[in-house]
Amino acid sequence: MDKEIKSGRQVPRAKALVACVLCLLLGAAVATAGLYATMGREGLAVLQAQRLIEEKFVGDYDETANRETALKAMVDSLGDRWSYYLTPEAYQRMVDARRNSYVGIGVTVSRDVKDGLMIQAVNSGSPAKEAGLKTGEIIRGINGVQITEENKEDCLASIKGPEGTLVSLEIEGVDGVFRTVELACQTIRGITAAWEMTEEQVGLITIQNFYSGTADLVAQGVEELTAQGARALVLDVRNNPGGYVNELVRILDLLLPEGDIFISRSYNGREKVYTSDAACVELPLAVLVNGNSYSAAEFLAAQLRESAGAVVAGTATCGKGYSQRLYKLCDGSAIGLSTARYFTGGGASLIGVGVEPEPAIELTEEDQVRLLRGELPREEDSQLQAAIGALSLEE
């Protein structure tokens, strides 16, 4: 048998074991104290509940679904419509979408339809466009799998790359007739701003979102339209979900004279003021908005009206005045949290009030659908015509 060695500088085994246990207990105590200081009693209770479920629950359950539901509930309980939780798959899709470049079939969809995905937009030149998909149609199945409320995210993931991946879609047309469409994924580069000259010699710039690359495209559009002799500029941000502050600020700086153009006040009390330089576009300006003009889109209208007296036409915007930051979590999911309030250069907040257009013009339901599809002729767009009519144009 082994003997304890008591001579020299060696420590008896019993004492060494006691010391190790004490170190472990001390480490656990320090760790617990650290967690308590960081999370508080309530935060530790959440971890405790999760541990009890993992160790004691007798039934079968989906650990991933349990965790994701808990995280989503935490964010939903804030009562803030602008904060959100994203699964790892949804987070990656958002990252790709915000780059305005991704591998897919070239459609924007809504998840609001039961057991299906409503097509909201079809990218020009995309596989979806070439296959004849249209706004308003519903994707009911993907690769032989019928879409349900439970598998929507998985189905969406199956139409995102890699390039060349073959996809089979079951489509319900607007007339209720079903058909099968087969197409291949390819790299989709979103055109987030497009421009044209109207018959009235007014430059019309349509902005899809304010994510990566949009400011460069708007600058290109402004340069080309002014070179063609535009008498005024109309910026169309109807159905625009917003985007990045830096893209918005660059566009405002391009259009507006010297002055404050965006104020952000964060959760910790810090304030940041964005300014425009003296260089600007010296043309009458107008903005088209509606109830789906969010965030940067409605702010653009508010600031252009405040700083340059721009005409704002359409219907009232949503009234968002919080900015979000997206935080990636350790499991690949993410939460977007409202971390700051923002104000116009003059200090006005859009929270709960939005932008009230003048002239206020409502499109018919039929024209709203045609606008979403990109099928509303300019001469039949009553909101655009009202904006042009309200501009002070030199003869």
Side-chain angles (χ1 to χ4, degrees):
M1 71 178 50
D2 294 337
K3 295 182 180 180
E4 293 182 15
I5 301 175
K6 298 182 180 180
S7 60
R9 299 168 59 184
Q10 293 173 308
V11 180
R13 291 183 180 178
K15 289 185 179 180
L17 180 61
V18 171
C20 288
V21 171
L22 288 174
C23 286
L24 290 172
L25 290 175
L26 179 60
V30 171
T32 301
L35 284 172
Y36 186 86
T38 302
M39 304 179 64
R41 186 185 301 274
E42 295 80 4
L44 288 177
V46 173
L47 294 178
Q48 183 181 20
Q50 182 179 7
R51 186 64 179 270
L52 286 170
I53 290 172
E54 292 174 352
E55 294 183 350
K56 308 295 185 183
F57 180 60
V58 69
D60 295 326
Y61 75 102
D62 186 323
E63 293 183 11
T64 299
N66 176 260
R67 181 181 68 255
E68 290 177 351
T69 300
L71 290 169
K72 183 177 185 301
M74 289 177 67
V75 177
D76 289 347
S77 69
L78 299 175
D80 175 27
R81 63 178 291 198
W82 310 114
S83 295
Y84 51 90
Y85 167 75
L86 297 174
T87 64
E89 298 77 17
Y91 167 72
Q92 190 56 54
R93 283 196 298 274
M94 176 173 282
V95 170
D96 292 341
R98 289 183 173 184
R99 293 191 187 109
N100 282 321
S101 176
Y102 63 95
V103 177
I105 62 172
V107 294
T108 301
V109 299
S110 166
R111 298 168 177 77
D112 295 338
V113 176
K114 181 176 175 61
D115 298 333
L117 299 164
M118 171 78 77
I119 298 176
Q120 291 186 313
V122 181
N123 289 47
S124 178
S126 67
K129 187 73 171 180
E130 294 175 1
L133 299 187
K134 296 181 180 179
T135 300
E137 295 186 320
I138 301 173
I139 304 173
R140 291 296 186 184
I142 301 177
N143 295 331
V145 177
Q146 295 301 302
I147 297 175
T148 66
E149 295 302 302
E150 291 73 27
N151 70 5
K152 278 185 180 180
E153 297 302 323
D154 291 337
C155 286
L156 273 172
S158 68
I159 60 174
K160 288 288 185 76
E163 190 150 354
T165 300
L166 296 178
V167 178
S168 177
L169 305 178
E170 183 180 2
I171 302 295
E172 180 183 351
V174 293
D175 56 1
V177 176
F178 283 75
R179 70 184 190 278
T180 299
V181 176
E182 295 186 351
L183 58 173
C185 296
Q186 69 180 43
T187 299
I188 307 296
R189 291 180 174 83
I191 305 300
T192 59
W195 51 92
E196 62 182 285
M197 194 75 79
T198 71
E199 292 182 358
E200 298 85 357
Q201 201 65 13
V202 171
L204 173 63
I205 302 176
T206 302
I207 305 175
Q208 300 294 336
N209 64 50
F210 287 81
Y211 291 117
S212 298
T214 300
D216 289 334
L217 285 172
V218 171
Q220 181 182 344
V222 169
E223 181 180 3
E224 291 185 10
L225 290 168
T226 52
Q228 294 170 27
R231 302 160 64 199
L233 295 177
V234 176
L235 293 96
D236 186 354
V237 292
R238 292 173 294 183
N239 304 309
N240 183 315
Y244 294 140
V245 170
N246 62 333
E247 298 287 330
L248 167 67
V249 169
R250 286 180 59 200
I251 294 171
L252 289 172
D253 183 24
L254 169 72
L255 298 171
L256 294 176
E258 188 172 4
D260 295 344
I261 55 175
F262 188 93
I263 301 172
S264 175
R265 295 173 186 157
S266 65
Y267 65 94
N268 57 11
R270 293 179 180 175
E271 179 175 288
K272 185 172 183 178
V273 180
Y274 297 82
T275 60
S276 174
D277 59 25
C280 65
V281 173
E282 296 182 353
L283 290 173
L285 299 172
V287 189
L288 301 178
V289 297
N290 63 12
N292 291 321
S293 298
Y294 289 88
S295 189
E298 63 178 336
F299 191 93
L300 179 83
Q303 193 61 58
L304 290 182
R305 180 158 68 181
E306 180 179 284
S307 296
V311 170
V312 178
T315 56
T317 63
C318 69
K320 181 176 182 285
Y322 298 95
S323 59
Q324 290 70 44
R325 293 200 63 177
L326 191 58
Y327 297 92
K328 187 176 181 181
L329 305 180
C330 58
D331 66 344
S333 64
I335 56 174
L337 290 180
S338 296
T339 58
R341 294 177 175 85
Y342 55 78
F343 305 82
T344 66
S349 171
L350 303 182
I351 297 175
V353 295
V355 178
E356 290 290 341
E358 187 179 343
I361 304 291
E362 183 113 26
L363 292 179
T364 65
E365 289 187 11
E366 179 184 355
D367 284 349
Q368 290 179 44
V369 172
R370 290 202 292 168
L371 175 67
L372 277 171
R373 293 178 178 173
E375 299 173 355
L376 182 60
R378 301 305 181 200
E379 63 275 10
E380 297 179 26
D381 186 339
S382 57
Q383 292 175 333
L384 171 61
Q385 296 305 317
I388 294 174
L391 288 166
S392 299
L393 300 178
E394 296 180 0
E395 295 297 333

